[in-house]
Amino acid sequence: MRPIGVIHSPFSDASQTPIQASTSEAIGQVEIYPEFSDGLQDVDGFSHLHLLYVFHCSGDYALRVKPFMDDQLRGLFATRHPCRPNPIGLSVVRLIERRSNVLEVEGVDMLDGSPLLDIKPYVPDFDIREALNTGWYATRSIQGSQK
Ligand SMILES: C[S@@+](CC[C@H](N)C(=O)[O-])C[C@H]1O[C@@H](n2cnc3c(N)ncnc32)[C@H](O)[C@@H]1O
């Protein structure tokens, strides 16, 4: 894989970065490299987008981690922890506007300079499921969102 762009966000310190896009009101700019910008046609018809990117500042991973909102060790793949064997982040953001090869978005929860791997439209028919169980998150020790 190779980056198709880079995400500009207000956050340069991981400890000050929102935990999830759904609780973030921060604005960022998704810059698409010129050789990929033709693929942005029709993107502005969607209010929300999935961004897939690299947690480029993450460290070594462990297979048991404490999630941001819990104080017990959980299996890494039952969490959204940024330190992973393949450090890929996934955030749903709101598209504010497209200016040529730059997308202005709301809801960023990634560090400035995160390499962008892909963009996909958020389509409720494809993406919304009725989640019957949310595992440890339902009984987490830390309520609400931090940061
Ligand atoms: C819990 S992750 C959730 C990210 C994404 N919504 C997901 O679920 O994949 C968000 C946290 O990862 C860390 N983070 C964000 N961007 C990063 C990057 N580029 N490198 C390393 N850590 C990052 C920050 O601490 C941030 O609060």
Side-chain angles (χ1 to χ4, degrees), residues 14 17-18 20 53 55-57 80 90-91 109 111 114 147:
T17 306
Q20 274 300 334
Y53 52 92
F55 288 125
H56 68 309
C57 298
R80 301 290 192 100
L90 169 66
S91 301
D109 63 343
L111 287 171
S114 297
K147 298 174 189 168

Side-chain angles (χ1 to χ4, degrees), residues 118-136:
D118 205 358
I119 298 173
K120 300 187 189 207
Y122 178 83
V123 179
D125 281 352
F126 306 158
D127 295 315
I128 293 182
R129 300 283 190 288
E130 186 185 359
L132 299 179
N133 298 305
T134 55
W136 60 263

Side-chain angles (χ1 to χ4, degrees), residues 9 11-19 108-111 146-147:
S9 95
F11 306 111
S12 55
D13 178 348
S15 69
Q16 298 301 313
T17 306
I19 292 175
V108 295
D109 63 343
M110 68 293 287
L111 287 171
Q146 297 176 310
K147 298 174 189 168

Side-chain angles (χ1 to χ4, degrees), residues 69-117:
M69 301 181 74
D70 204 3
D71 58 8
Q72 293 185 48
L73 287 173
R74 306 290 183 180
L76 174 64
F77 304 121
T79 78
R80 301 290 192 100
H81 202 283
C83 300
R84 321 180 72 83
N86 296 307
I88 295 173
L90 169 66
S91 301
V92 175
V93 296
R94 185 175 73 82
L95 178 61
I96 298 171
E97 67 169 348
R98 174 186 168 191
R99 295 187 300 273
S100 183
N101 65 326
V102 176
L103 304 175
E104 181 107 346
V105 299
E106 181 188 51
V108 295
D109 63 343
M110 68 293 287
L111 287 171
D112 187 41
S114 297
L116 179 69
L117 296 176

